[in-house]
Amino acid sequence: MSAKITEFSIEGVTVSELIESYGDPLYVYNETKMTAQYNRITSAFSGANLKVNYACKALNNINVLRHFKKLGSGLDTVSIQEVELGLEAGFKPEDIIFTPNGVSIEEISQGVAYGVRVNIDNLSILEQFGALYGDTYPVCIRLNPHINAGGNANISVGHIDSKFGISIHQTRHLERMVKSLGIRVNGMHMHTGSDILDVDVFLRGAELLLNIAKDFDDLDYIDFGSGFKVAYKQDDISTDIEELGKKMTAMFSEFCDDYGKNLQIEFEPGKFLVSEAGYFLCSVNALKQTTATVFAHVNTGLNHLIRPMLYGAYHHITNGNNPSGKNRVYTVVGYICETDTFASDRLISEIKEGDVLVFHNAGAYCFAMSNNYNSRYRPAEVLIRDEKPFLIRKRETMEDLLRNQILIDQES
Ligand SMILES: *Cc1c(COP(=O)(O)O)cnc(C)c1O
């Protein structure tokens, strides 16, 4: 009993209880934290006609989608499959915005058939859309204001070389196309993708968007995308959502006064809503002392959590069995036959073989990017609701690996 008290726990549920019940590696999400983050945005923008669309590519478990729906959120989707998942979760088509990049007009048309809001980010596709639908189906336009309010170039999508959005320098062309094809533009959108470190830079991008929006008379909403950053380590910078809310509400209400209509202001956060709610639990298989370092080999790898290897993301690691022991230096590596280093030269409370390591900020872009490389099963997912754990996705089995494979007769 006394050992338990020193263990790491999530909403009162200890890591050993979780691992005993569900095995590991394991993703665990704290629903209360998701709610708190959602409420932070709605209070920051309480003075505006706000709509939040949860960007479900961050974490697409249907229970998470249903939770955000219950809170009153809409859904931001980037593929027709995400649209279908949203409908399955019970979202009304008009509460789903479909913002794909580089897809065919056929996929856009499927979105139209479902009745969801369609957001187009390419003049060629817009032209085809106009030819097909004229003014019979409204459309949102994704513009690229070419701002970069943050640091990490790998996740910034607003810069001049970016493949996303229609450049604001093509506005004349856009206006001509809309006019001649009679396209009904009811929304304007931007998503710069970068972590917003500087609220004022973001506001400048928003101002550029509004400056173009004023020339379109049929708008119902303006969507400023996301890029809301959360802290990944102690003393890390995060987006000051309260400051952003105050400044943007003022700016937007002034715009609406001039425009003559109280438009809806929309955002589509993923990371902000779910990142900090998530934990990834795994066990230490072996410690390996080399001449250079001490490796902690864990029973997972880039197949389950690829962000550190894909774009150098930092995930804080706690020793779940011994969170407050003496710190020592470790290099935490996976079991995949590739270099899959989770953390180099990391101070972690003294590790014994068999200890459970807890990765923080594992809600966004973690399980969602997992795969079966090395024929490993994807982990189970658990949701903690009101301090009680619920299994929301089973661990995979050999059946899952073989499901779509077709045996043909062997060569004789
Ligand atoms: C990925 C994405 C988001 C969410 O971004 P976060 O950084 O997770 O908040 C929002 N909108 C669009 C169009 C996206 O592609």
Side-chain angles (χ1 to χ4, degrees), residues 57 142 144-159 162 164 190-199 201-203 205 224-230 238-239 244 268-269 271-272 365:
K57 75 172 186 288
R142 176 174 187 175
N144 189 334
H146 307 301
I147 59 144
N148 187 357
N152 192 337
N154 293 312
I155 55 173
S156 167
V157 295
H159 55 82
S162 167
F164 297 97
M190 73 176 211
H191 169 63
T192 62
S194 49
D195 286 339
I196 304 168
L197 303 177
D198 186 335
V199 164
V201 175
F202 185 80
L203 288 177
F224 294 95
S226 179
F228 296 164
K229 184 179 164 24
V230 295
S238 57
T239 305
L244 187 73
E268 45 196 38
K271 184 188 281 180
F272 185 84
Y365 308 108

mmCIF file of all heavy atoms in Angstrom, residues 57 142 144-159 162 164 190-199 201-203 205 224-230 238-239 244 268-269 271-272 365:
data_model
loop_
_atom_site.group_PDB
_atom_site.id
_atom_site.type_symbol
_atom_site.label_atom_id
_atom_site.label_comp_id
_atom_site.label_asym_id
_atom_site.label_seq_id
_atom_site.Cartn_x
_atom_site.Cartn_y
_atom_site.Cartn_z
ATOM 1 N N LYS A 57 -7.703 14.765 -36.431
ATOM 2 C CA LYS A 57 -6.534 13.987 -36.840
ATOM 3 C C LYS A 57 -5.542 13.839 -35.688
ATOM 4 O O LYS A 57 -4.726 12.932 -35.685
ATOM 5 C CB LYS A 57 -5.862 14.594 -38.063
ATOM 6 C CG LYS A 57 -5.041 15.849 -37.836
ATOM 7 C CD LYS A 57 -4.283 16.195 -39.131
ATOM 8 C CE LYS A 57 -3.330 17.353 -38.970
ATOM 9 N NZ LYS A 57 -3.994 18.645 -38.839
ATOM 10 N N ARG A 142 -9.654 28.499 -48.266
ATOM 11 C CA ARG A 142 -8.482 28.502 -47.391
ATOM 12 C C ARG A 142 -7.388 29.364 -48.011
ATOM 13 O O ARG A 142 -6.845 29.049 -49.064
ATOM 14 C CB ARG A 142 -7.953 27.077 -47.194
ATOM 15 C CG ARG A 142 -6.677 27.047 -46.369
ATOM 16 C CD ARG A 142 -6.235 25.632 -46.059
ATOM 17 N NE ARG A 142 -5.097 25.647 -45.127
ATOM 18 C CZ ARG A 142 -4.561 24.550 -44.610
ATOM 19 N NH1 ARG A 142 -5.046 23.369 -44.909
ATOM 20 N NH2 ARG A 142 -3.540 24.629 -43.776
ATOM 21 N N ASN A 144 -3.639 31.442 -47.650
ATOM 22 C CA ASN A 144 -2.354 31.357 -46.959
ATOM 23 C C ASN A 144 -1.781 32.763 -46.820
ATOM 24 O O ASN A 144 -1.363 33.369 -47.801
ATOM 25 C CB ASN A 144 -1.398 30.458 -47.751
ATOM 26 C CG ASN A 144 -0.126 30.170 -46.966
ATOM 27 O OD1 ASN A 144 0.263 30.958 -46.106
ATOM 28 N ND2 ASN A 144 0.510 29.062 -47.265
ATOM 29 N N PRO A 145 -1.781 33.291 -45.589
ATOM 30 C CA PRO A 145 -1.306 34.660 -45.390
ATOM 31 C C PRO A 145 0.223 34.756 -45.277
ATOM 32 O O PRO A 145 0.768 35.848 -45.096
ATOM 33 C CB PRO A 145 -1.977 35.068 -44.076
ATOM 34 C CG PRO A 145 -2.129 33.785 -43.325
ATOM 35 C CD PRO A 145 -2.270 32.683 -44.343
ATOM 36 N N HIS A 146 0.891 33.625 -45.376
ATOM 37 C CA HIS A 146 2.359 33.595 -45.301
ATOM 38 C C HIS A 146 2.898 34.234 -44.032
ATOM 39 O O HIS A 146 3.786 35.084 -44.087
ATOM 40 C CB HIS A 146 2.995 34.280 -46.521
ATOM 41 C CG HIS A 146 2.502 33.748 -47.814
ATOM 42 N ND1 HIS A 146 2.625 32.424 -48.175
ATOM 43 C CD2 HIS A 146 1.835 34.355 -48.841
ATOM 44 C CE1 HIS A 146 2.080 32.250 -49.369
ATOM 45 N NE2 HIS A 146 1.580 33.386 -49.788
ATOM 46 N N ILE A 147 2.341 33.844 -42.932
ATOM 47 C CA ILE A 147 2.929 34.312 -41.685
ATOM 48 C C ILE A 147 3.522 33.118 -40.968
ATOM 49 O O ILE A 147 3.139 31.979 -41.193
ATOM 50 C CB ILE A 147 1.911 35.001 -40.740
ATOM 51 C CG1 ILE A 147 0.769 34.034 -40.375
ATOM 52 C CG2 ILE A 147 1.406 36.287 -41.332
ATOM 53 C CD1 ILE A 147 0.289 34.191 -38.978
ATOM 54 N N ASN A 148 4.442 33.378 -40.096
ATOM 55 C CA ASN A 148 5.050 32.319 -39.301
ATOM 56 C C ASN A 148 5.189 32.832 -37.879
ATOM 57 O O ASN A 148 6.109 33.563 -37.562
ATOM 58 C CB ASN A 148 6.410 31.935 -39.889
ATOM 59 C CG ASN A 148 6.976 30.714 -39.188
ATOM 60 O OD1 ASN A 148 6.386 30.199 -38.240
ATOM 61 N ND2 ASN A 148 8.124 30.261 -39.648
ATOM 62 N N ALA A 149 4.207 32.453 -37.083
ATOM 63 C CA ALA A 149 4.166 32.985 -35.720
ATOM 64 C C ALA A 149 4.917 32.114 -34.725
ATOM 65 O O ALA A 149 4.904 32.360 -33.536
ATOM 66 C CB ALA A 149 2.717 33.152 -35.270
ATOM 67 N N GLY A 150 5.573 31.080 -35.250
ATOM 68 C CA GLY A 150 6.197 30.157 -34.305
ATOM 69 C C GLY A 150 7.571 29.714 -34.723
ATOM 70 O O GLY A 150 8.223 30.339 -35.549
ATOM 71 N N GLY A 151 8.030 28.622 -34.145
ATOM 72 C CA GLY A 151 9.405 28.218 -34.319
ATOM 73 C C GLY A 151 9.643 27.032 -35.231
ATOM 74 O O GLY A 151 10.436 27.114 -36.168
ATOM 75 N N ASN A 152 8.962 25.930 -35.016
ATOM 76 C CA ASN A 152 9.311 24.674 -35.664
ATOM 77 C C ASN A 152 8.905 24.651 -37.137
ATOM 78 O O ASN A 152 7.739 24.545 -37.484
ATOM 79 C CB ASN A 152 8.631 23.515 -34.918
ATOM 80 C CG ASN A 152 9.166 22.165 -35.359
ATOM 81 O OD1 ASN A 152 9.705 22.030 -36.453
ATOM 82 N ND2 ASN A 152 9.014 21.181 -34.490
ATOM 83 N N ALA A 153 9.906 24.746 -38.039
ATOM 84 C CA ALA A 153 9.633 24.817 -39.475
ATOM 85 C C ALA A 153 8.950 23.559 -39.998
ATOM 86 O O ALA A 153 8.255 23.596 -41.008
ATOM 87 C CB ALA A 153 10.931 25.057 -40.238
ATOM 88 N N ASN A 154 9.139 22.438 -39.304
ATOM 89 C CA ASN A 154 8.540 21.189 -39.774
ATOM 90 C C ASN A 154 7.026 21.186 -39.643
ATOM 91 O O ASN A 154 6.345 20.450 -40.335
ATOM 92 C CB ASN A 154 9.077 20.002 -38.968
ATOM 93 C CG ASN A 154 10.542 19.774 -39.237
ATOM 94 O OD1 ASN A 154 10.972 19.741 -40.374
ATOM 95 N ND2 ASN A 154 11.312 19.633 -38.179
ATOM 96 N N ILE A 155 6.505 21.956 -38.707
ATOM 97 C CA ILE A 155 5.060 21.938 -38.521
ATOM 98 C C ILE A 155 4.428 23.275 -38.872
ATOM 99 O O ILE A 155 3.275 23.536 -38.614
ATOM 100 C CB ILE A 155 4.664 21.493 -37.088
ATOM 101 C CG1 ILE A 155 5.345 22.357 -36.035
ATOM 102 C CG2 ILE A 155 5.018 20.030 -36.858
ATOM 103 C CD1 ILE A 155 4.862 22.057 -34.624
ATOM 104 N N SER A 156 5.209 24.134 -39.540
ATOM 105 C CA SER A 156 4.683 25.397 -39.999
ATOM 106 C C SER A 156 4.193 25.227 -41.428
ATOM 107 O O SER A 156 4.896 24.698 -42.277
ATOM 108 C CB SER A 156 5.790 26.446 -39.953
ATOM 109 O OG SER A 156 5.385 27.583 -40.658
ATOM 110 N N VAL A 157 2.963 25.647 -41.693
ATOM 111 C CA VAL A 157 2.421 25.445 -43.040
ATOM 112 C C VAL A 157 1.998 26.760 -43.694
ATOM 113 O O VAL A 157 1.384 26.767 -44.743
ATOM 114 C CB VAL A 157 1.229 24.450 -43.028
ATOM 115 C CG1 VAL A 157 1.702 23.081 -42.620
ATOM 116 C CG2 VAL A 157 0.107 24.927 -42.131
ATOM 117 N N GLY A 158 2.353 27.888 -43.083
ATOM 118 C CA GLY A 158 1.910 29.174 -43.613
ATOM 119 C C GLY A 158 2.970 29.908 -44.430
ATOM 120 O O GLY A 158 2.708 30.939 -45.018
ATOM 121 N N HIS A 159 4.175 29.372 -44.492
ATOM 122 C CA HIS A 159 5.270 30.105 -45.141
ATOM 123 C C HIS A 159 5.142 30.084 -46.665
ATOM 124 O O HIS A 159 4.298 29.404 -47.235
ATOM 125 C CB HIS A 159 6.615 29.533 -44.690
ATOM 126 C CG HIS A 159 6.731 28.061 -44.918
ATOM 127 N ND1 HIS A 159 7.067 27.530 -46.133
ATOM 128 C CD2 HIS A 159 6.499 27.007 -44.089
ATOM 129 C CE1 HIS A 159 7.061 26.216 -46.041
ATOM 130 N NE2 HIS A 159 6.715 25.868 -44.818
ATOM 131 N N SER A 162 5.043 26.843 -48.696
ATOM 132 C CA SER A 162 4.096 25.848 -48.204
ATOM 133 C C SER A 162 3.139 25.390 -49.299
ATOM 134 O O SER A 162 2.759 26.148 -50.187
ATOM 135 C CB SER A 162 3.309 26.458 -47.050
ATOM 136 O OG SER A 162 2.198 25.661 -46.752
ATOM 137 N N PHE A 164 0.112 24.518 -48.632
ATOM 138 C CA PHE A 164 -1.244 24.694 -48.103
ATOM 139 C C PHE A 164 -1.841 26.046 -48.475
ATOM 140 O O PHE A 164 -1.177 27.080 -48.417
ATOM 141 C CB PHE A 164 -1.233 24.563 -46.569
ATOM 142 C CG PHE A 164 -0.808 23.206 -46.099
ATOM 143 C CD1 PHE A 164 0.500 22.964 -45.708
ATOM 144 C CD2 PHE A 164 -1.713 22.155 -46.061
ATOM 145 C CE1 PHE A 164 0.901 21.709 -45.277
ATOM 146 C CE2 PHE A 164 -1.330 20.900 -45.637
ATOM 147 C CZ PHE A 164 -0.016 20.674 -45.241
ATOM 148 N N MET A 190 -7.910 30.276 -42.589
ATOM 149 C CA MET A 190 -6.452 30.157 -42.632
ATOM 150 C C MET A 190 -6.024 29.177 -41.540
ATOM 151 O O MET A 190 -6.708 28.994 -40.539
ATOM 152 C CB MET A 190 -5.769 31.515 -42.407
ATOM 153 C CG MET A 190 -5.823 32.042 -40.970
ATOM 154 S SD MET A 190 -4.893 33.595 -40.809
ATOM 155 C CE MET A 190 -4.322 33.494 -39.114
ATOM 156 N N HIS A 191 -4.947 28.473 -41.788
ATOM 157 C CA HIS A 191 -4.362 27.635 -40.736
ATOM 158 C C HIS A 191 -2.866 27.649 -40.970
ATOM 159 O O HIS A 191 -2.382 27.045 -41.911
ATOM 160 C CB HIS A 191 -4.905 26.202 -40.797
ATOM 161 C CG HIS A 191 -4.152 25.249 -39.921
ATOM 162 N ND1 HIS A 191 -4.098 25.384 -38.543
ATOM 163 C CD2 HIS A 191 -3.390 24.168 -40.209
ATOM 164 C CE1 HIS A 191 -3.340 24.407 -38.050
ATOM 165 N NE2 HIS A 191 -2.897 23.670 -39.041
ATOM 166 N N THR A 192 -2.149 28.376 -40.152
ATOM 167 C CA THR A 192 -0.714 28.538 -40.407
ATOM 168 C C THR A 192 0.080 27.373 -39.845
ATOM 169 O O THR A 192 1.228 27.197 -40.194
ATOM 170 C CB THR A 192 -0.201 29.855 -39.805
ATOM 171 O OG1 THR A 192 -0.398 29.798 -38.400
ATOM 172 C CG2 THR A 192 -0.954 31.032 -40.374
ATOM 173 N N GLY A 193 -0.555 26.591 -38.992
ATOM 174 C CA GLY A 193 0.060 25.350 -38.547
ATOM 175 C C GLY A 193 1.172 25.499 -37.545
ATOM 176 O O GLY A 193 1.405 24.614 -36.740
ATOM 177 N N SER A 194 1.843 26.631 -37.583
ATOM 178 C CA SER A 194 2.986 26.769 -36.689
ATOM 179 C C SER A 194 2.520 26.928 -35.251
ATOM 180 O O SER A 194 1.414 27.358 -34.980
ATOM 181 C CB SER A 194 3.802 27.979 -37.087
ATOM 182 O OG SER A 194 2.974 29.098 -37.253
ATOM 183 N N ASP A 195 3.360 26.574 -34.348
ATOM 184 C CA ASP A 195 3.094 26.835 -32.942
ATOM 185 C C ASP A 195 3.066 28.344 -32.741
ATOM 186 O O ASP A 195 4.046 29.021 -33.037
ATOM 187 C CB ASP A 195 4.228 26.255 -32.083
ATOM 188 C CG ASP A 195 4.158 24.746 -31.997
ATOM 189 O OD1 ASP A 195 3.077 24.189 -32.225
ATOM 190 O OD2 ASP A 195 5.193 24.128 -31.686
ATOM 191 N N ILE A 196 1.956 28.845 -32.246
ATOM 192 C CA ILE A 196 1.874 30.292 -32.032
ATOM 193 C C ILE A 196 2.615 30.659 -30.761
ATOM 194 O O ILE A 196 2.177 30.350 -29.660
ATOM 195 C CB ILE A 196 0.411 30.769 -31.905
ATOM 196 C CG1 ILE A 196 -0.377 30.361 -33.130
ATOM 197 C CG2 ILE A 196 0.356 32.275 -31.690
ATOM 198 C CD1 ILE A 196 -1.878 30.530 -32.956
ATOM 199 N N LEU A 197 3.757 31.278 -30.937
ATOM 200 C CA LEU A 197 4.510 31.735 -29.770
ATOM 201 C C LEU A 197 4.215 33.208 -29.557
ATOM 202 O O LEU A 197 4.231 33.712 -28.456
ATOM 203 C CB LEU A 197 6.010 31.531 -30.005
ATOM 204 C CG LEU A 197 6.426 30.089 -30.328
ATOM 205 C CD1 LEU A 197 7.917 30.018 -30.618
ATOM 206 C CD2 LEU A 197 6.072 29.148 -29.187
ATOM 207 N N ASP A 198 3.968 33.902 -30.679
ATOM 208 C CA ASP A 198 3.792 35.341 -30.612
ATOM 209 C C ASP A 198 2.379 35.691 -31.077
ATOM 210 O O ASP A 198 2.054 35.611 -32.262
ATOM 211 C CB ASP A 198 4.839 35.994 -31.524
ATOM 212 C CG ASP A 198 4.838 37.500 -31.407
ATOM 213 O OD1 ASP A 198 3.785 38.069 -31.027
ATOM 214 O OD2 ASP A 198 5.878 38.110 -31.697
ATOM 215 N N VAL A 199 1.550 36.074 -30.123
ATOM 216 C CA VAL A 199 0.144 36.393 -30.409
ATOM 217 C C VAL A 199 0.036 37.513 -31.443
ATOM 218 O O VAL A 199 -0.803 37.481 -32.333
ATOM 219 C CB VAL A 199 -0.588 36.750 -29.094
ATOM 220 C CG1 VAL A 199 -1.908 37.445 -29.376
ATOM 221 C CG2 VAL A 199 -0.818 35.497 -28.254
ATOM 222 N N VAL A 201 2.053 38.350 -33.919
ATOM 223 C CA VAL A 201 2.326 37.894 -35.292
ATOM 224 C C VAL A 201 1.096 37.179 -35.839
ATOM 225 O O VAL A 201 0.689 37.385 -36.984
ATOM 226 C CB VAL A 201 3.562 36.967 -35.335
ATOM 227 C CG1 VAL A 201 3.763 36.411 -36.741
ATOM 228 C CG2 VAL A 201 4.808 37.717 -34.893
ATOM 229 N N PHE A 202 0.476 36.365 -35.000
ATOM 230 C CA PHE A 202 -0.737 35.665 -35.415
ATOM 231 C C PHE A 202 -1.835 36.662 -35.776
ATOM 232 O O PHE A 202 -2.540 36.512 -36.774
ATOM 233 C CB PHE A 202 -1.213 34.732 -34.301
ATOM 234 C CG PHE A 202 -2.391 33.882 -34.686
ATOM 235 C CD1 PHE A 202 -2.211 32.737 -35.438
ATOM 236 C CD2 PHE A 202 -3.676 34.235 -34.305
ATOM 237 C CE1 PHE A 202 -3.297 31.949 -35.808
ATOM 238 C CE2 PHE A 202 -4.764 33.461 -34.667
ATOM 239 C CZ PHE A 202 -4.575 32.308 -35.415
ATOM 240 N N LEU A 203 -1.941 37.714 -34.964
ATOM 241 C CA LEU A 203 -2.961 38.733 -35.219
ATOM 242 C C LEU A 203 -2.728 39.431 -36.549
ATOM 243 O O LEU A 203 -3.667 39.784 -37.248
ATOM 244 C CB LEU A 203 -2.974 39.771 -34.086
ATOM 245 C CG LEU A 203 -3.552 39.286 -32.760
ATOM 246 C CD1 LEU A 203 -3.434 40.376 -31.703
ATOM 247 C CD2 LEU A 203 -5.016 38.880 -32.925
ATOM 248 N N GLY A 205 -1.468 38.047 -39.204
ATOM 249 C CA GLY A 205 -1.981 37.121 -40.211
ATOM 250 C C GLY A 205 -3.495 37.203 -40.293
ATOM 251 O O GLY A 205 -4.079 37.235 -41.383
ATOM 252 N N PHE A 224 -10.012 30.762 -38.228
ATOM 253 C CA PHE A 224 -8.602 31.122 -38.101
ATOM 254 C C PHE A 224 -7.705 29.919 -37.797
ATOM 255 O O PHE A 224 -6.568 30.084 -37.360
ATOM 256 C CB PHE A 224 -8.432 32.214 -37.032
ATOM 257 C CG PHE A 224 -9.071 33.519 -37.429
ATOM 258 C CD1 PHE A 224 -10.357 33.830 -37.022
ATOM 259 C CD2 PHE A 224 -8.391 34.424 -38.232
ATOM 260 C CE1 PHE A 224 -10.963 35.020 -37.399
ATOM 261 C CE2 PHE A 224 -8.987 35.620 -38.628
ATOM 262 C CZ PHE A 224 -10.288 35.922 -38.204
ATOM 263 N N GLY A 225 -8.224 28.728 -38.017
ATOM 264 C CA GLY A 225 -7.384 27.538 -37.912
ATOM 265 C C GLY A 225 -6.915 27.266 -36.503
ATOM 266 O O GLY A 225 -7.656 27.398 -35.543
ATOM 267 N N SER A 226 -5.661 26.856 -36.416
ATOM 268 C CA SER A 226 -5.126 26.549 -35.090
ATOM 269 C C SER A 226 -3.657 26.942 -35.012
ATOM 270 O O SER A 226 -3.252 27.938 -35.584
ATOM 271 C CB SER A 226 -5.332 25.079 -34.766
ATOM 272 O OG SER A 226 -4.782 24.808 -33.509
ATOM 273 N N GLY A 227 -2.904 26.118 -34.352
ATOM 274 C CA GLY A 227 -1.510 26.468 -34.080
ATOM 275 C C GLY A 227 -1.341 26.794 -32.610
ATOM 276 O O GLY A 227 -0.276 27.240 -32.183
ATOM 277 N N PHE A 228 -2.393 26.547 -31.832
ATOM 278 C CA PHE A 228 -2.315 26.802 -30.393
ATOM 279 C C PHE A 228 -1.309 25.839 -29.783
ATOM 280 O O PHE A 228 -1.440 24.627 -29.885
ATOM 281 C CB PHE A 228 -3.675 26.576 -29.728
ATOM 282 C CG PHE A 228 -4.747 27.515 -30.198
ATOM 283 C CD1 PHE A 228 -6.083 27.234 -29.957
ATOM 284 C CD2 PHE A 228 -4.444 28.687 -30.882
ATOM 285 C CE1 PHE A 228 -7.095 28.092 -30.380
ATOM 286 C CE2 PHE A 228 -5.436 29.563 -31.310
ATOM 287 C CZ PHE A 228 -6.771 29.256 -31.060
ATOM 288 N N LYS A 229 -0.321 26.392 -29.154
ATOM 289 C CA LYS A 229 0.759 25.578 -28.603
ATOM 290 C C LYS A 229 0.556 25.315 -27.121
ATOM 291 O O LYS A 229 0.054 26.151 -26.395
ATOM 292 C CB LYS A 229 2.088 26.327 -28.809
ATOM 293 C CG LYS A 229 3.303 25.527 -28.362
ATOM 294 C CD LYS A 229 4.584 26.279 -28.608
ATOM 295 C CE LYS A 229 5.756 25.701 -27.827
ATOM 296 N NZ LYS A 229 5.646 24.301 -27.441
ATOM 297 N N VAL A 230 0.943 24.113 -26.705
ATOM 298 C CA VAL A 230 0.935 23.809 -25.271
ATOM 299 C C VAL A 230 2.369 23.530 -24.839
ATOM 300 O O VAL A 230 3.239 23.301 -25.662
ATOM 301 C CB VAL A 230 0.046 22.576 -24.955
ATOM 302 C CG1 VAL A 230 -1.404 22.864 -25.271
ATOM 303 C CG2 VAL A 230 0.524 21.338 -25.711
ATOM 304 N N SER A 238 3.822 28.535 -24.052
ATOM 305 C CA SER A 238 2.596 28.047 -24.682
ATOM 306 C C SER A 238 1.812 29.269 -25.150
ATOM 307 O O SER A 238 2.079 30.386 -24.728
ATOM 308 C CB SER A 238 1.782 27.223 -23.680
ATOM 309 O OG SER A 238 1.509 27.985 -22.546
ATOM 310 N N THR A 239 0.881 29.019 -26.075
ATOM 311 C CA THR A 239 0.086 30.139 -26.586
ATOM 312 C C THR A 239 -0.720 30.742 -25.439
ATOM 313 O O THR A 239 -1.389 30.015 -24.707
ATOM 314 C CB THR A 239 -0.877 29.656 -27.683
ATOM 315 O OG1 THR A 239 -0.120 28.998 -28.698
ATOM 316 C CG2 THR A 239 -1.637 30.818 -28.291
ATOM 317 N N LEU A 244 -4.838 36.061 -26.521
ATOM 318 C CA LEU A 244 -5.309 35.910 -27.901
ATOM 319 C C LEU A 244 -6.820 36.156 -27.973
ATOM 320 O O LEU A 244 -7.310 36.862 -28.851
ATOM 321 C CB LEU A 244 -4.982 34.504 -28.427
ATOM 322 C CG LEU A 244 -5.267 34.247 -29.896
ATOM 323 C CD1 LEU A 244 -4.245 34.966 -30.780
ATOM 324 C CD2 LEU A 244 -5.235 32.758 -30.208
ATOM 325 N N GLU A 268 -9.863 25.694 -34.950
ATOM 326 C CA GLU A 268 -9.872 24.235 -35.062
ATOM 327 C C GLU A 268 -8.646 23.625 -34.397
ATOM 328 O O GLU A 268 -7.784 23.076 -35.063
ATOM 329 C CB GLU A 268 -9.976 23.828 -36.538
ATOM 330 C CG GLU A 268 -9.044 24.630 -37.407
ATOM 331 C CD GLU A 268 -9.368 24.560 -38.887
ATOM 332 O OE1 GLU A 268 -10.551 24.548 -39.237
ATOM 333 O OE2 GLU A 268 -8.409 24.526 -39.669
ATOM 334 N N PRO A 269 -8.591 23.690 -33.087
ATOM 335 C CA PRO A 269 -7.437 23.158 -32.379
ATOM 336 C C PRO A 269 -7.466 21.638 -32.252
ATOM 337 O O PRO A 269 -8.531 21.035 -32.094
ATOM 338 C CB PRO A 269 -7.545 23.805 -30.990
ATOM 339 C CG PRO A 269 -8.971 24.186 -30.837
ATOM 340 C CD PRO A 269 -9.592 24.282 -32.197
ATOM 341 N N LYS A 271 -3.999 19.814 -31.035
ATOM 342 C CA LYS A 271 -3.010 19.688 -29.959
ATOM 343 C C LYS A 271 -3.452 20.348 -28.655
ATOM 344 O O LYS A 271 -3.324 19.773 -27.583
ATOM 345 C CB LYS A 271 -1.707 20.336 -30.459
ATOM 346 C CG LYS A 271 -0.544 20.224 -29.530
ATOM 347 C CD LYS A 271 0.626 21.051 -30.027
ATOM 348 C CE LYS A 271 1.383 20.343 -31.142
ATOM 349 N NZ LYS A 271 2.537 21.151 -31.624
ATOM 350 N N PHE A 272 -3.987 21.563 -28.767
ATOM 351 C CA PHE A 272 -4.361 22.296 -27.550
ATOM 352 C C PHE A 272 -5.394 21.521 -26.729
ATOM 353 O O PHE A 272 -5.374 21.530 -25.503
ATOM 354 C CB PHE A 272 -4.922 23.677 -27.924
ATOM 355 C CG PHE A 272 -5.214 24.560 -26.740
ATOM 356 C CD1 PHE A 272 -4.213 25.324 -26.160
ATOM 357 C CD2 PHE A 272 -6.497 24.611 -26.198
ATOM 358 C CE1 PHE A 272 -4.469 26.124 -25.057
ATOM 359 C CE2 PHE A 272 -6.764 25.408 -25.089
ATOM 360 C CZ PHE A 272 -5.744 26.164 -24.522
ATOM 361 N N TYR A 365 -1.267 13.446 -31.938
ATOM 362 C CA TYR A 365 -0.343 12.951 -32.957
ATOM 363 C C TYR A 365 0.549 11.836 -32.435
ATOM 364 O O TYR A 365 1.697 11.705 -32.848
ATOM 365 C CB TYR A 365 0.502 14.116 -33.534
ATOM 366 C CG TYR A 365 -0.373 15.248 -33.994
ATOM 367 C CD1 TYR A 365 -0.442 16.446 -33.289
ATOM 368 C CD2 TYR A 365 -1.197 15.092 -35.101
ATOM 369 C CE1 TYR A 365 -1.294 17.473 -33.688
ATOM 370 C CE2 TYR A 365 -2.049 16.110 -35.511
ATOM 371 C CZ TYR A 365 -2.089 17.285 -34.796
ATOM 372 O OH TYR A 365 -2.945 18.289 -35.186
#
